[in-house]
């Protein structure tokens, strides 16, 4: 069985991927500094799995501590999630973002070289596309000027991996460009932990429905879309997690490769459609108001998923309805806890 280091493995996408890895006979080793998650996720994982996976409370930018983990665990592959991801915060604290997101990747790549670990699955984002000229956007679409330090950190990270792959013939990498991950594990034992006021749409909707927030502000209804609100490609986090397993399986049959893959449903939904769907499938009310556009938002982006379907034999299996039901179930679990 292959041992996989999962940096950021106690985070939102990381913890769902840990479950998926164990379901497919990989051994995940979690590395997390718990700066943006907490013990509840580990308890949830333990309940789902029936045992506690191996966890290192380690910061990925700490070369010495990470060296120790690599020498103790001798992994076969790495999935590198550990990163900050709040667009607005990255504009206020760019150095925090560049330090965490870039230094952690440099440490991981350096140690993979030193310990001869040759398979890397990297968490990238559709943010690298900016507002693409073509929709649905495919992986060949040239990156646009990033609108935030967070977005730029993902573009630079991709380039660092491409350059490292070109220089190190044993290395094999996938750059997974996530669209908008939402929802939670159907058990409602793991999900996204909201710290402070949520930035993202779905946690804001669920907190409004739960009465934690007074109302959801829709950021602009004057875009050139059907109902005037922005369009995104929302993907259930469990589908996203499954793609990481497919990526690892694919990499093991490759030699010196560095491929980007879009991970989305392949279809866009507007903000208003997401809110209406949430209300319909959960039979709860959500107070809304229309506000001004949010700076840095692109009007619409959704994925061309033909490359990932053909190469990794992966596609989404869960609908928007299901994702929004699971998101609500997770919110209720958090509210009751
Ligand atoms: C952003 C990032 C993406 C990152 C993701 C996770 C960009 C361009 N996108 O996605 O790379 O992976 O965050 O952190 O950098 N909205 C409202 N009201 C709200 C919240 C959101 O109307 O209270 C709208 C937004 O204006 C947007 C849509 O909902 O149109 C989705 O927003 P959000 O969930 O924040 O994700 P993105 O900005 O698409």
């Amino acid at each position: 069985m292959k041992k996989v280091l999962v940096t950021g493995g106690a985070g939102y996408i990381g913890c769902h991927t840990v479950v998926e890895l164990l379901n497919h006979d990989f051994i995940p080793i979690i590395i997390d500094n718990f700066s943006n998650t907490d013990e509840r996720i580990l308890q949830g994982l333990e309940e789902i799995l029936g045992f506690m996976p191996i966890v290192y409370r380690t910061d990925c930018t700490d070369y010495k501590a990470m060296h120790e983990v690599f020498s103790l665990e001798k992994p076969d592959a790495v999935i590198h999630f550990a990163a900050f991801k709040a667009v607005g915060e990255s504009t206020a604290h760019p150095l925090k973002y560049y330090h965490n997101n870039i230094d952690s990747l440099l440490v991981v790549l350096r140690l993979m070289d030193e310990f001869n670990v040759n398979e890397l699955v990297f968490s990238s984002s559709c943010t690298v596309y900016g507002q693409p000229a073509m929709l649905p956007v495919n992986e060949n679409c040239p990156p646009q000027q990033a609108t935030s330090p967070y977005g730029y950190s993902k573009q630079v990270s991709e380039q660092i991996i491409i350059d490292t792959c070109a220089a190190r013939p044993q290395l094999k990498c996938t750059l997974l460009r996530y669209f908008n991950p939402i929802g939670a594990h159907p058990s409602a034992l793991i999900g996204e932990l909201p710290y402070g006021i949520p930035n993202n749409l779905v946690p804001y909707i669920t907190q409004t429905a739960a009465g934690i927030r007074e109302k959801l502000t829709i950021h602009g209804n004057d875009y050139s879309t059907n109902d005037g609100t922005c369009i995104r490609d929302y993907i259930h986090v469990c589908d996203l997690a499954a793609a990481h397993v497919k990526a690892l399986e694919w990499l093991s049959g490759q030699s010196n490769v560095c491929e980007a893959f879009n991970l989305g449903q392949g279809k866009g939904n507007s903000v208003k459609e997401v809110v209406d769907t949430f209300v319909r499938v959960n039979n709860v009310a959500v107070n809304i108001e229309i506000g001004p556009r949010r700076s840095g938002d692109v009007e619409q982006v959704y994925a061309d998923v033909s490359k990932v379907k053909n190469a990794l034999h992966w596609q989404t299996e869960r609908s928007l309805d299901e994702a929004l039901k699971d998101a609500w179930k997770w919110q209720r679990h958090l509210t009751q806890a």
Side-chain angles (χ1 to χ4, degrees), residues 1-318:
M1 289 200 333
K2 272 191 168 172
K3 237 184 210 187
V4 185
L5 286 191
V6 187
T7 75
Y12 176 41
I13 305 169
C15 68
H16 291 86
T17 302
V18 164
V19 174
E20 214 38 50
L21 285 167
L22 279 159
N23 285 339
H24 289 82
D25 293 332
F26 289 93
I27 305 170
I29 313 289
I30 296 174
I31 303 179
D32 209 298
N33 65 2
F34 290 82
S35 65
N36 203 19
T37 187
D38 64 43
E39 296 301 317
R40 284 172 287 177
I41 295 300
L42 295 184
Q43 287 159 12
L45 274 176
E46 188 173 17
E47 249 186 89
I48 293 170
L49 302 171
F51 64 95
M52 182 64 89
I54 299 170
V55 182
Y56 288 90
R57 286 153 208 279
T58 302
D59 190 309
C60 292
T61 63
D62 182 342
Y63 172 81
K64 256 178 93 181
M66 288 292 284
H67 188 282
E68 203 163 320
V69 177
F70 270 76
S71 44
L72 282 170
E73 295 297 343
K74 303 196 171 36
D76 300 291
V78 177
I79 305 182
H80 184 48
F81 290 108
F84 292 143
K85 59 159 196 168
V87 175
E89 187 194 38
S90 77
T91 308
H93 302 285
L95 293 182
K96 175 177 167 183
Y97 272 68
Y98 290 130
H99 166 64
N100 191 49
N101 294 8
I102 305 294
D103 285 3
S104 64
L105 175 65
L106 295 179
V107 166
V108 164
L109 286 171
R110 197 172 146 199
L111 287 167
M112 286 180 71
D113 190 18
E114 284 172 35
F115 286 84
N116 201 26
V117 181
N118 296 324
E119 292 171 9
L120 173 68
V121 174
F122 177 68
S123 262
S124 189
S125 165
C126 68
T127 195
V128 299
Y129 295 121
Q131 177 59 71
M134 296 272 286
L135 284 168
V137 61
N138 70 38
E139 291 82 352
N140 297 324
C141 182
Q144 307 279 319
Q145 174 76 40
T147 55
S148 68
Y150 160 74
Y152 192 55
S153 78
K154 289 296 175 189
Q155 290 181 341
V156 172
S157 296
E158 285 200 359
Q159 193 57 51
I160 290 170
I161 294 169
I162 292 165
D163 294 342
T164 310
C165 239
R168 218 192 121 201
Q170 309 90 319
L171 194 57
K172 308 184 269 185
C173 304
T174 55
L175 312 171
L176 301 185
R177 294 178 178 161
Y178 310 153
F179 282 66
N180 288 57
I182 59 166
H185 193 268
S187 65
L189 292 167
I190 54 172
E192 187 166 20
L193 283 179
Y195 289 104
I197 302 171
N199 297 298
N200 297 118
L201 178 63
V202 171
Y204 212 107
I205 294 175
T206 61
Q207 289 197 5
T208 308
I212 301 167
R213 311 273 154 218
E214 196 192 329
K215 58 190 165 214
L216 167 81
T217 305
I218 293 185
H219 299 315
N221 69 347
D222 57 351
Y223 288 96
S224 303
T225 58
N226 276 349
D227 59 23
T229 64
C230 289
I231 291 178
R232 297 286 184 275
D233 186 332
Y234 295 92
I235 169 176
H236 195 299
V237 66
C238 292
D239 279 333
L240 191 60
H244 293 74
V245 172
K246 292 283 189 187
L248 279 177
E249 289 169 349
W250 180 79
L251 280 177
S252 67
Q254 305 294 312
S255 51
N256 193 219
V257 70
C258 187
E259 284 295 335
F261 293 104
N262 283 344
L263 299 183
Q265 286 225 47
K267 142 177 185 295
N269 286 103
S270 73
V271 173
K272 213 169 165 307
E273 277 168 351
V274 173
V275 177
D276 291 346
T277 307
F278 181 86
V279 168
R280 175 176 55 78
V281 298
N282 295 310
N283 200 22
V284 281
V286 178
N287 286 333
I288 59 164
E289 67 171 4
I290 306 296
R293 291 182 177 198
R294 185 173 70 175
S295 122
D297 265 343
V298 298
E299 180 175 279
Q300 40 186 321
V301 61
Y302 48 95
D304 179 334
V305 287
S306 39
K307 183 176 173 187
V308 69
K309 267 189 194 169
N310 291 333
L312 304 195
H313 307 295
W314 171 91
Q315 63 184 58
T316 55
E317 286 173 3
R318 297 155 180 91

